[in-house]
Amino acid sequence: MSTNSRFAVAVHVLTLMAWSGDEPLKSEQVAESVNTNPVVIRRMLCELAEAGLVISQTGSMGGSRLAGNPAEMTLLDVYQALEYRGVFSLHRQPPSRDCPVGVNIETVLGQVLEEVDAAVEHVLAKITINDVVQRLRPCVSTAENKRNHYSREPIALPHLRAGAKSRRVKSLRTT
């Protein structure tokens, strides 16, 4: 069984946007940071835009940016934007109705899962995208000491215009 990483990727995307300030980011640039295909990012950006978390503009000068204040955008907003309905799920196939455990396990686990979901949502509601950015800052400071870091400054997007792929990679990569 594998876990779904869409929530982590969405938080990564929104945190990168908060980190970069008001300048729109290209899906290729975001994909470079996430280490995935730009198509994956574009699909996710559509979902985040539908939820009102990002604003996207097409065209050569386009890109995506946060739709609101990162200090007011919670991880619960992100979680709900991706239409997650529960941290865990019940059986894929109905359990045996001839078994005393199988006949009742979904009812009992359903109650437990409701409690787990409520606890997760309670925690996510307390953490904002800005909090994630602030938690990254000490990590960046540590990396700066090793001379292997991302810049703390907003990402230099003018270098990304007109298909400057090699400059884009340099703007996101470590120095």
Side-chain angles (χ1 to χ4, degrees):
M1 291 183 214
S2 63
T3 59
N4 190 324
S5 62
R6 286 170 33 88
F7 173 75
V9 171
V11 171
H12 182 145
V13 168
L14 295 171
T15 302
L16 182 63
M17 289 179 179
W19 189 278
S20 69
D22 291 332
E23 186 72 30
L25 300 177
K26 299 273 191 200
S27 58
E28 293 83 4
Q29 180 182 16
V30 175
E32 182 77 28
S33 177
V34 176
N35 196 24
T36 192
N37 190 299
V39 172
V40 172
I41 298 301
R42 284 191 283 275
R43 287 182 186 142
M44 182 169 286
L45 288 172
C46 286
E47 290 180 82
L48 295 173
E50 286 176 14
L53 299 177
V54 300
I55 297 170
S56 298
Q57 182 176 345
T58 59
S60 63
M61 299 303 284
S64 299
R65 60 180 175 81
L66 293 180
N69 183 345
E72 297 172 2
M73 191 177 297
T74 69
L75 297 188
L76 181 59
D77 296 329
V78 180
Y79 185 75
Q80 291 172 337
L82 300 175
E83 298 186 39
Y84 277 39
R85 297 294 177 244
V87 175
F88 305 107
S89 61
L90 296 176
H91 304 74
R92 289 183 184 209
Q93 302 294 327
S96 171
R97 299 295 175 214
D98 296 329
C99 172
V101 172
V103 73
N104 293 307
I105 194 68
E106 290 184 314
T107 301
V108 173
L109 282 179
Q111 295 166 352
V112 171
L113 294 181
E114 286 178 15
E115 291 177 41
V116 169
D117 290 342
V120 167
E121 290 179 6
H122 179 74
V123 170
L124 294 177
K126 293 180 179 181
I127 303 169
T128 67
I129 294 297
N130 194 57
D131 294 333
V132 176
V133 170
Q134 295 307 313
R135 290 179 185 195
L136 281 173
R137 296 215 186 272
C139 299
V140 171
S141 295
T142 300
E144 282 176 349
N145 292 336
K146 295 178 182 177
R147 307 298 273 163
N148 185 16
H149 66 281
Y150 282 101
S151 171
R152 293 176 104 184
E153 299 300 317
I155 297 168
L157 291 177
H159 295 114
L160 298 176
R161 307 288 184 226
K165 184 175 183 176
S166 63
R167 288 187 211 128
R168 178 182 70 241
V169 172
K170 288 179 185 175
S171 71
L172 285 172
R173 294 253 186 237
T174 58
T175 56

